Amino acid sequence: VLIKFEPSEFARVIKTSKTLELERALLNNITWLEKEGISISQEEVFRMLLEEFGKALPLGQVSEVPKEVFELARDFEKELEEDWGEEKVPDELKLREGVVFKLNQ
C-alpha cells in the first residue's frame, strides 16, 4: 500500500533516457492513498490490513503492530537504498500486473 509517492522523483533516480515517459507511465498505472485524497497514517494502514486479513486468515490476536515491524521495515529500506548504488541496471520495470515499462529500448 503506497501512502505517498512522487512519480517524478522515482523517475529521476531510475537509469533511463525516458524519464518523462516513465513519469507519465507511473501516473497512469499506479495510485497511492494521497493521490486518491486519503490522508492516513502508516500505523492506521497496518491496523486496517491486520483487521481485514484477519477476517480471511487465522492471524490470531494482534492488538497493535509491534515496534520491531517498523524497525524491520526501516532496515529493509536502508538495504534497498544501498542496493541502488550498485551498477545493476534492469531492462524493464513492472509497474503493475500486465504493464511493463521498457527502460532503454
Side-chain angles (χ1 to χ4, degrees), residues 41-98:
S41 71
Q42 197 175 39
E43 291 81 6
E44 185 66 9
V45 170
F46 288 149
R47 187 197 62 72
M48 291 170 65
L49 287 171
L50 283 171
E51 181 180 314
E52 294 303 315
F53 280 123
K55 293 176 183 175
L57 303 169
L59 297 176
Q61 292 292 345
V62 179
S63 60
E64 68 179 55
V65 179
K67 181 175 71 170
E68 293 81 13
V69 171
F70 291 103
E71 291 171 359
L72 183 61
R74 284 187 201 98
D75 291 345
F76 184 63
E77 182 179 26
K78 288 177 187 175
E79 282 183 37
L80 287 175
E81 288 173 357
E82 290 170 5
D83 287 346
W84 281 108
E86 297 178 13
E87 290 300 317
K88 298 176 190 173
V89 179
D91 295 327
E92 58 187 31
L93 180 65
K94 182 177 178 179
L95 302 181
R96 62 178 171 89
E97 191 62 39

Side-chain angles (χ1 to χ4, degrees), residues 10-65:
F10 186 88
R12 276 197 294 256
V13 299
I14 298 297
K15 294 181 181 182
T16 182
S17 59
K18 303 188 303 186
T19 303
L20 291 176
E21 293 95 330
L22 176 56
E23 183 179 346
R24 279 194 298 273
L26 290 165
L27 282 167
N28 291 329
N29 288 286
I30 64 170
T31 195
W32 53 97
L33 296 176
E34 188 177 83
K35 178 181 176 185
E36 298 298 326
I38 300 168
S39 178
I40 190 170
S41 71
Q42 197 175 39
E43 291 81 6
E44 185 66 9
V45 170
F46 288 149
R47 187 197 62 72
M48 291 170 65
L49 287 171
L50 283 171
E51 181 180 314
E52 294 303 315
F53 280 123
K55 293 176 183 175
L57 303 169
L59 297 176
Q61 292 292 345
V62 179
S63 60
E64 68 179 55
V65 179

